[in-house]
Amino acid sequence: MHLVGIDVGGTNFRVGVFSGQALLWEKRFEADFSALCRTSQDAQASIMETMASAISEAIRVFPDIGAIGIGFPGFIDPATMCIASSPNLPGLSNVDIAGPLSVRFRLPVIVENDALAAAYGEQVLGGHESLIYIGLGTGVGGGLILDGKPYPGEHGVAMEIGHIIVDPGGRLCGCGNRGCLERYASASGVSISYQEQTGRQLSAKEIAGLAEAGDILAVSAFDLAGDRLGLALSHILKVADIAHVVVGGGLSEAWHWLEKPFRTRLEADLIPVLRGKCEVGVSKAQDRAGMLGAAELASNHF
Ligand SMILES: [Zn+2]
């Protein structure tokens, strides 16, 4: 029996077919979820159609699929598995995609927060019983695994670290508050930092290229991102006391620009008893942790 794991991002989603931990097939599908999710009514049908055709493709290659897991960037209601809302997809409100997909494919389908699914994938791959995963992508996501089990929280929003306020009164966030971590330490946050300094609107990837070429303002955009991430993580570690942290997501490719300001701030802000005791590293899963975690969660759920 094979499992399907799906990792949804802002502008695309990836579908993987797994046998145990082995990824047998993978395909990336372009999909502009903010356009698909303008209103809740449109969102359910649009997400369904987009995902169903991708899942059908996987099933054509591997007809013996046993369950489907989806990691979605939003708050997932743990009681209903509905996507309650998503700060970066404001049209979404209480959308059920697991139920209709399950009926359509006659297979068990689960939906979990994308970062929590990635955290679980990292746990399966890395073996640490407890860990925190931080996903630096379009936004900033977080997932906590405690004693081998994903911890979604009572409202499905545990470890929403992207919305820890690191600059009170600062940049406006999609959640409605100001100064949230993801407005500084995500790909879009780095773009905003650079634009504020230069007036130029560039992607984080382009800004990383400029940093390599010696652009001081590009370096300082990453400095701010790393510093704010270190600040947020120091708070989290003082609450959760977890020894292993894995950083993934597209912006983690620029980790060498984030790492120094991140570690400087983290060590300074931790309480002495925790200094030097937390291992933080970039994911070695080459971006498959989200798909694997979603697939494994689906298999565990039934
Ligand atoms: Zn926020």
Side-chain angles (χ1 to χ4, degrees):
M1 186 191 80
H2 296 100
L3 297 167
V4 169
I6 302 179
D7 188 16
V8 178
T11 55
N12 66 77
F13 65 102
R14 290 177 308 129
V15 180
V17 176
F18 290 87
S19 171
Q21 292 177 23
L23 178 61
L24 305 180
W25 183 89
E26 182 189 3
K27 191 163 175 185
R28 180 188 163 114
F29 297 84
E30 298 306 317
D32 181 354
F33 280 89
S34 53
L36 292 178
C37 302
R38 286 227 166 83
T39 71
S40 276
Q41 290 85 345
D42 298 343
Q44 188 184 37
S46 310
I47 297 174
M48 273 282 298
E49 283 317 308
T50 307
M51 292 215 165
S53 66
I55 294 167
S56 299
E57 210 173 314
I59 291 176
R60 271 199 298 277
V61 185
F62 294 91
D64 63 336
I65 298 296
I68 299 166
I70 301 169
F72 197 93
F75 305 137
I76 312 300
D77 183 329
T80 63
M81 228 189 271
C82 287
I83 304 160
S85 64
S86 176
N88 295 315
L89 301 170
L92 275 184
S93 173
N94 277 319
V95 170
D96 179 19
I97 54 172
L101 283 174
S102 181
V103 169
R104 179 138 167 187
F105 291 103
R106 294 188 193 146
L107 283 172
V109 179
I110 65 116
V111 176
E112 187 48 272
N113 173 266
D114 59 339
L116 189 55
Y120 194 59
E122 293 289 349
Q123 198 263 329
V124 169
L125 290 167
H128 296 299
E129 279 295 286
S130 296
L131 66 84
I132 288 168
Y133 172 84
I134 299 174
L136 305 177
T138 312
V140 176
L144 171 63
I145 307 299
L146 266 183
D147 299 328
K149 292 201 186 83
Y151 181 75
E154 294 191 67
H155 305 93
V157 296
M159 290 299 291
E160 278 299 336
I161 75 164
H163 303 283
I164 288 177
I165 294 173
V166 295
D167 181 21
R171 298 173 185 168
L172 185 62
C173 179
C175 75
N177 281 335
R178 285 187 173 274
C180 291
L181 177 66
E182 73 174 28
R183 304 309 286 152
Y184 302 83
S186 63
S188 53
V190 169
S191 294
I192 295 166
S193 298
Y194 190 73
Q195 192 179 5
E196 278 182 359
Q197 294 295 318
T198 64
R200 297 174 67 199
Q201 198 173 6
L202 298 175
S203 70
K205 203 168 192 166
E206 290 166 327
I207 298 165
L210 291 174
E212 302 287 349
D215 181 334
I216 302 291
L217 295 174
V219 174
S220 86
F222 285 105
D223 279 349
L224 180 62
D227 179 83
R228 300 293 95 172
L229 184 63
L231 170 70
L233 188 62
S234 78
H235 292 319
I236 294 162
L237 296 181
K238 279 177 263 187
V239 175
D241 185 13
I242 298 291
H244 295 96
V245 177
V246 182
V247 181
L251 192 66
S252 69
E253 286 169 25
W255 184 244
H256 58 291
W257 288 112
L258 299 167
E259 187 172 10
K260 192 162 174 256
F262 162 79
R263 289 198 191 277
T264 302
R265 170 62 76 175
L266 177 67
E267 288 300 304
D269 286 9
L270 279 175
I271 43 177
V273 67
L274 285 175
R275 283 185 192 136
K277 300 246 175 79
C278 180
E279 193 184 291
V280 183
V282 175
S283 169
K284 296 183 185 82
Q286 288 152 347
D287 237 11
R288 80 186 149 109
M291 290 189 295
L292 174 63
E296 290 279 331
L297 286 170
S299 76
N300 292 353
H301 198 80
F302 301 101

